[in-house]
Amino acid sequence: MAYVATRGGEKAIEQAERLFRQDLGTIDAQRVETIRTTMPYLIDRVMGEASLYDEELAALALAQTGGELSEAVLVLRAWRTTQPRLAIARPVKQDEVLTQRRISAAFKDIPGGQILGPTLDYSHRVLATDVLEGKPFAPPQVEKATSPAPAKQPSLADWQRQQGLVAPTEPSDIAPEDIPDLTREPLLFPASRAHRLQSLARAETGGVLALGYAAMRGYGNAHPTVNELRLGEANVVVRHPRGTEFSAGRVRVSQAEVTSKEKGGYLELGFAATFGWNEVKVIAAATLDLNSDEAPVGSPVHEEFYLYHTESVEASGFCIHFKLPHYVTFQSILDAMRDTKAKKAAAEAKGEVYVAEPEEEPVL
């Protein structure tokens, strides 16, 4: 692709950025803290798509970019690349997650019970316009249960294996340092399951929803049933150089298992997990995972299609690069149009019928 150098525009470029910054106004620690505390689900989305769990930095990225999500994710991912990797955390097991919400649409009675947790699923979506008239919207107090739900819940899939509904699995002996890392390795096809789940974990939420919805509406081979949806906090357990293990803190996580079909006498599960609480994303992503193995090439639920087209930084970068100068390539199109018109006019002047020459095949 050919470009021409843009000369004499350095000052204009600088002023254009200044104009953007001026529209946002002064960014201070108070604004960042306000974003962090008042928009927790937006913060979760940015952290998940950036592959970096840091609420304060995610809020700063949103403030710095005026809330433009793809730019905020890009800024946060760029900062992430400057940081060293200190340790590899121990794998998170479902029954160790401090669970705040956990439901199943496949079973009414599940081990540990259904825990609704924080949700708007059963609420009326009514805009609180009274706030604009000076009447603050104060949430009502939550009534405490007579007996609290257990902080940790067993894995529903493990219970299903005991019932013979899900295929038994062998424990993995892969060393933590041997687990493939999509943030350091290119995505190759056919993708490994690890790369697929990592890519879905940081995929753009809207893109995952669109293609997951396509799978649900018939472009996929499986219509999902939510086997288990879980929101909680997971301990990040790392090993000290002296050999002892300790918790470096907790991170909010979402995970979903979906199922809809039998394969080899067992229920087949699709899975997805991500940083933060983002139910729509993990349900749609798990649906794509469930449909991946049998999707034909060219289908919107084929892994090569959806993994490429839900990568937010690459997709947004490719889209906005069309704003850059394309003078040379576009001029060649205009030259071809003018040449065709000139030949057609010459042929008509001679009383002849102009026949356009077939286009040459592009050289790859």
Side-chain angles (χ1 to χ4, degrees):
M1 187 175 293
Y3 298 110
V4 293
T6 303
R7 299 179 180 177
E10 183 177 352
K11 184 175 182 180
I13 291 172
E14 179 185 354
Q15 296 305 311
E17 181 177 351
R18 288 188 180 185
L19 184 60
F20 180 87
R21 304 296 179 196
Q22 183 175 300
D23 286 344
L24 298 183
T26 301
I27 299 173
D28 56 15
Q30 182 60 46
R31 179 189 288 193
V32 172
E33 180 62 15
T34 299
I35 294 174
R36 187 190 71 81
T37 57
T38 59
M39 301 182 181
Y41 289 93
L42 182 60
I43 295 294
D44 281 357
R45 175 172 171 176
V46 173
M47 292 191 302
E49 295 179 16
S51 301
L52 177 68
Y53 194 94
D54 190 306
E55 296 177 3
E56 189 175 49
L57 291 179
L60 175 59
L62 284 167
Q64 186 175 319
T65 59
E68 214 296 319
L69 289 182
S70 59
E71 286 289 335
V73 171
L74 174 58
V75 169
L76 202 53
R77 280 197 193 180
W79 189 88
R80 181 186 186 278
T81 63
T82 67
Q83 303 306 299
R85 173 165 296 184
L86 302 179
I88 298 176
R90 191 179 71 190
V92 175
K93 297 181 179 180
Q94 283 185 319
D95 55 6
E96 295 177 353
V97 173
L98 299 177
T99 304
Q100 299 188 32
R101 171 166 162 79
R102 184 241 195 174
I103 61 171
S104 172
F107 298 90
K108 178 181 179 181
D109 298 315
I110 55 177
Q114 307 263 7
I115 303 174
L116 296 187
T119 183
L120 293 175
D121 284 353
Y122 318 102
S123 307
H124 295 293
R125 271 62 169 191
V126 179
L127 199 61
T129 55
D130 289 349
V131 173
L132 303 179
E133 299 174 3
K135 303 174 184 178
F137 179 77
Q141 291 295 318
V142 177
E143 297 179 7
K144 294 184 178 180
T146 53
S147 58
K152 300 179 181 180
Q153 297 290 335
S155 165
L156 183 57
D158 286 346
W159 174 74
Q160 290 171 311
R161 289 188 183 93
Q162 296 172 6
Q163 307 298 314
L165 299 175
V166 175
T169 56
E170 296 295 330
S172 175
D173 295 328
I174 300 177
E177 59 273 12
D178 293 333
I179 297 175
D181 183 355
L182 188 64
T183 66
R184 298 186 172 197
E185 303 169 10
L187 180 63
L188 302 176
F189 295 100
S192 67
R193 185 85 188 287
H195 276 166
R196 180 196 300 172
L197 296 183
Q198 289 174 30
S199 183
L200 286 171
R202 70 181 202 156
E204 202 271 330
T205 300
V208 172
L209 174 59
L211 296 180
Y213 182 50
M216 298 169 190
R217 293 194 65 247
Y219 287 93
N221 298 314
H223 188 80
T225 299
V226 174
N227 195 53
E228 180 178 357
L229 173 69
R230 187 185 297 234
L231 305 181
E233 297 182 5
N235 272 318
V236 180
V237 179
V238 294
R239 183 179 295 275
H240 192 274
R242 294 181 179 178
T244 57
E245 289 189 339
F246 67 97
S247 173
R250 297 176 184 165
V251 295
R252 286 194 303 277
V253 293
S254 308
Q255 60 183 56
E257 287 175 339
V258 300
T259 184
S260 74
K261 57 185 179 178
E262 173 268 346
K263 186 175 183 180
Y266 297 105
L267 290 173
E268 191 174 3
L269 297 178
F271 179 80
T274 190
F275 278 148
W277 290 0
N278 193 339
E279 297 182 20
V280 166
K281 177 177 178 177
V282 290
I283 293 174
T287 301
L288 292 172
D289 179 51
L290 180 65
N291 281 274
S292 291
D293 293 336
E294 300 177 5
V297 176
S299 165
V301 296
H302 186 270
E303 68 172 14
E304 185 169 351
F305 187 92
Y306 72 71
L307 291 183
Y308 269 145
H309 297 106
T310 57
E311 168 47 53
S312 63
V313 170
E314 184 172 342
S316 62
F318 190 83
C319 182
I320 64 177
H321 101 278
F322 286 105
K323 296 186 293 183
L324 297 175
H326 286 67
Y327 308 137
V328 174
T329 53
F330 189 69
Q331 189 63 45
S332 68
I333 295 174
L334 297 182
D335 289 343
M337 290 175 58
R338 295 187 183 105
D339 182 62
T340 299
K341 289 182 177 181
K343 290 179 179 178
K344 185 177 180 180
E348 291 176 347
K350 297 178 181 179
E352 300 174 352
V353 176
Y354 173 72
V355 179
E357 298 178 0
E359 294 184 5
E360 295 183 359
E361 291 293 328
V363 179
L364 301 179

